[in-house]
Amino acid sequence: MPNIKSAKKRVLVSKVNNERNKMEKSALKTTLKKFDAAVAEGNREQADSAYKAAVKSIDQAVNKGILHKNNAARKKSSITLKMNELA
């Protein structure tokens, strides 16, 4: 445990940020799984709404610093290809 007051605060702040990042990353994975499930089911309308939600959550993750922009571009490209195969 740190002895300096600022170091103690840093530990607390980093713990909070770590939990927030975990929560955001988990939510992102959930939206991607919902999209994959809709595509596997073959339901076009469900897949379309899940696609929009997935792209939005990917973009939000980039803005929050959870994902790198190239990683996000790769994910969006991948789900777009899956969406186009469904058509």
Side-chain angles (χ1 to χ4, degrees):
M1 238 0 238
N3 295 322
I4 299 169
K5 187 175 181 181
S6 62
K8 289 179 185 177
K9 183 177 179 184
R10 261 295 112 210
V11 168
L12 295 175
V13 169
S14 66
K15 201 179 291 187
V16 167
N17 288 339
N18 188 16
E19 288 299 317
R20 186 178 297 129
N21 288 342
K22 264 195 232 176
M23 193 172 62
E24 293 291 336
K25 201 166 218 176
S26 176
L28 174 65
K29 287 179 185 178
T30 302
T31 58
L32 291 175
K33 284 179 187 175
K34 284 181 183 176
F35 171 75
D36 286 337
V39 169
E41 191 178 296
N43 190 344
R44 177 72 180 173
E45 291 123 15
Q46 246 185 355
D48 193 37
S49 64
Y51 172 78
K52 289 178 184 174
V55 169
K56 184 177 179 180
S57 64
I58 289 171
D59 289 336
Q60 286 175 341
V62 170
N63 287 335
K64 292 176 182 176
I66 310 259
L67 286 180
H68 190 272
K69 65 178 184 171
N70 292 352
N71 189 344
R74 185 173 58 83
K75 285 184 188 304
K76 287 198 290 190
S77 174
S78 169
I79 66 174
T80 302
L81 288 174
K82 287 180 189 175
M83 191 68 182
N84 291 340
E85 285 177 8
L86 192 63

